[in-house]
Amino acid sequence: RAVVRCFNLRPRPRRGQHFLVSRETVRRIVAAADLGPDDVVVEVGSGLGTLTRALAATAGRVVALEVDAGLLPVLGYTVGALANVRIVLADVRRTSLSGLAREEGAARFKVVANLPYYLTSAFLRQLLTREPGFTLAVLTVQREVAERLLAVPGSKAYGLLTVAVSYFAEVRRIAEVGREKFWPRPEVDSTVVRLVRRSQPPVEVGDEEFFFGLVRAGFGRRRKILLNALEAGLGLPKERVRAVLSEQGFSETCRAEELSLEDYAALSRAFIRYRKGG
């Protein structure tokens, strides 16, 4: 608060500016990132530099990414003197994190992010599908999003995000972060999660584009049984969808949230065989 007053700044909660003020949470985030002198870490949303300083104490290099130009004077004051920190003014949605890491001479990098909640899903898609160099990420997300990432088949929170993320990464809960640990206080609680990128997907899907289209179709109409959802979402005859479900041992009345990642992979391979006339 003193730093904000000193620079005559006013946090903008509508832009997701809720600054972490819990030393214990900072410690747990840094520990989960498992940083060493050879690591390059990209921090998305550096804010006032509180977490940036802690990351710089253990990482080889820190690229501090911040979208708000108004916070640059603060970052210059709090971390500008640290030789292993580079401050970058950019919007993560239009920035290659892998490119930033390459500029630091690293093909592989880690990510730490405290993103505005409205950006979380889009950022996860970017990280998992368009950032080949990322190996590990420690993310502070809305608790509801964390529950979706960690959900199991059959639970209310289980959905497209669960299946998609588990295809690319292993997810683990690190810490619960109450709203009182941010300033200004947000209206929701948060959770810190850790994603470790898989060296290869845990299932064979036959064709990734078709697989994700299949999963989107299944969850696109959650109130419908899977038979009807896949018929509409994939544009296939109902009898063909029924035949594939039956072949794989699924009831006509099953719903998308009942199937595991392995189940969706099996369905993907079966539909591809049907599509090829096998």
Side-chain angles (χ1 to χ4, degrees):
R1 292 188 182 93
V3 170
V4 169
R5 285 196 299 269
C6 178
F7 284 87
N8 196 29
L9 295 173
R10 179 172 296 179
R12 290 180 280 185
R14 289 185 179 180
R15 294 190 60 177
Q17 290 184 346
H18 300 281
F19 304 121
L20 187 61
V21 294
S22 164
R23 288 189 177 91
E24 173 61 18
T25 303
V26 168
R27 185 194 67 76
R28 296 188 71 173
I29 289 172
V30 174
D34 192 23
L35 298 168
D38 295 328
D39 285 319
V40 169
V41 58
V42 178
E43 183 195 11
V44 180
S46 299
L48 305 179
T50 305
L51 182 54
T52 317
R53 289 184 64 87
L55 295 170
T58 54
R61 293 285 295 169
V62 179
V63 180
L65 191 65
E66 177 54 54
V67 69
D68 187 350
L71 292 177
L72 292 185
V74 181
L75 286 170
Y77 172 75
T78 56
V79 301
L82 300 177
N84 63 335
V85 173
R86 177 164 67 105
I87 302 169
V88 176
L89 178 65
D91 186 331
V92 67
R93 293 170 293 184
R94 290 181 280 276
T95 304
S96 167
L97 305 188
S98 299
L100 292 176
R102 285 195 297 270
E103 290 172 4
E104 301 296 328
R108 295 157 67 85
F109 64 97
K110 296 179 178 180
V111 174
V112 172
N114 179 15
L115 288 167
Y117 296 138
Y118 64 87
L119 287 182
T120 303
S121 293
F123 178 71
L124 283 169
R125 286 194 298 272
Q126 173 184 341
L127 191 63
L128 295 169
T129 64
R130 301 198 301 276
E131 300 291 357
F134 128 80
T135 59
L136 179 151
V138 181
L139 311 177
T140 304
V141 300
Q142 185 175 341
R143 188 164 296 172
E144 178 184 333
V145 174
E147 295 305 321
R148 291 165 61 196
L149 290 172
L150 296 158
V152 297
S155 64
K156 185 177 179 180
Y158 185 78
L160 172 60
L161 184 66
T162 320
V163 176
V165 172
S166 63
Y167 179 80
F168 291 106
E170 297 179 52
V171 186
R172 181 163 65 91
R173 189 191 312 267
I174 297 299
E176 301 295 347
V177 188
R179 62 195 75 185
E180 73 281 358
K181 295 182 179 180
F182 295 91
W183 180 78
R185 181 180 295 207
E187 296 180 357
V188 296
D189 296 317
S190 301
T191 301
V192 178
V193 295
R194 174 169 133 153
L195 278 65
V196 177
R197 190 182 198 115
R198 299 184 189 275
S199 57
Q200 61 182 24
V203 291
E204 173 55 51
V205 299
D207 180 296
E208 280 193 4
E209 183 177 354
F210 179 82
F211 168 74
F212 285 110
L214 169 73
V215 179
R216 280 193 298 271
F219 285 104
R221 294 166 173 81
R222 287 185 69 103
R223 295 185 180 181
K224 291 189 175 184
I225 61 174
L226 190 60
L227 172 64
N228 294 338
L230 293 182
E231 177 197 11
L234 297 178
L236 294 175
K238 179 171 287 188
E239 288 308 312
R240 174 165 290 190
V241 176
R242 180 181 283 113
V244 172
L245 290 175
S246 176
E247 174 194 299
Q248 296 301 312
F250 298 114
S251 164
E252 289 188 11
T253 59
C254 70
R255 298 182 183 274
E257 57 269 27
E258 298 174 21
L259 275 63
S260 67
L261 173 64
E262 291 76 13
D263 292 333
Y264 277 109
L267 277 182
S268 177
R269 297 192 302 269
F271 274 113
I272 290 169
R273 288 196 301 271
Y274 267 77
R275 192 172 57 177
K276 293 179 179 178

